[in-house]
Amino acid sequence: MPGRTVTVRESGHLARTIGVGPHRLTGDEPDPIGTDTGPTPVQLLMAGLGACTSMTVRLYAERKGWPLAGIKVDVRVAHGIRPLGQILKDVEIIGDLNAEQISRLATIAEHCPIQRMLSASVPVHTRTTARRPASPSPGAA
């Protein structure tokens, strides 16, 4: 499946409408910087990591036929530990699983695609273009 382009458009002072195919999200900053209409960009990144971890563990357990009843993932950034902080991820695996299965799922939880991207410091290449706003047509009032 080809990746969808994520589009971000201004929708307020710092509020942003985020489009991914047919889906719409809102990103913002809390008061007093923004208007707190959505999660911050860092929180959106943490949400992506948590969702990816949960999905990866679920798919692996299903493929193995293991009785995974549920998975909970909490993700947060701890500041002050390193210059940019560090990401702390708590994963709770729920089910009638043996020690070997739990150990394997814990390993799988550390290898979701988003965590691999973050750990590998995937390069980001930025292309910037500029344009002037359209001029009002003559005679427009």
Side-chain angles (χ1 to χ4, degrees):
M1 173 175 47
R4 293 177 171 163
T5 297
V6 175
T7 62
V8 179
R9 303 294 182 261
E10 291 185 308
S11 59
H13 172 62
L14 290 178
R16 299 296 181 259
T17 298
I18 303 161
V20 186
H23 310 290
R24 296 290 172 266
L25 304 157
T26 300
D28 202 351
E29 290 288 341
D31 289 327
I33 300 168
T35 53
D36 203 18
T37 59
T40 69
V42 170
Q43 291 165 339
L44 289 167
L45 179 64
M46 297 303 100
L49 175 60
C52 182
T53 299
S54 179
M55 291 175 191
T56 300
V57 171
R58 167 60 63 196
L59 288 170
Y60 188 86
E62 284 179 358
R63 193 174 85 222
K64 293 292 192 176
W66 293 349
L68 178 65
I71 180 167
K72 296 178 183 177
V73 181
D74 294 328
V75 185
R76 66 190 180 285
V77 175
H79 296 286
I81 297 172
R82 293 184 172 168
L84 295 176
Q86 78 177 0
I87 298 169
L88 303 176
K89 184 171 73 167
D90 295 318
V91 179
E92 181 181 7
I93 297 169
I94 305 159
D96 189 18
L97 301 157
N98 64 40
E100 185 179 320
Q101 291 168 328
I102 292 168
S103 176
R104 185 65 186 141
L105 292 176
T107 299
I108 293 300
E110 292 194 13
H111 295 287
C112 79
I114 298 296
Q115 186 162 340
R116 289 194 327 247
M117 286 178 72
L118 290 169
S119 298
S121 299
V122 173
V124 176
H125 302 280
T126 304
R127 181 181 70 188
T128 303
T129 60
R131 67 179 170 88
R132 297 191 186 282
S135 300
S137 55

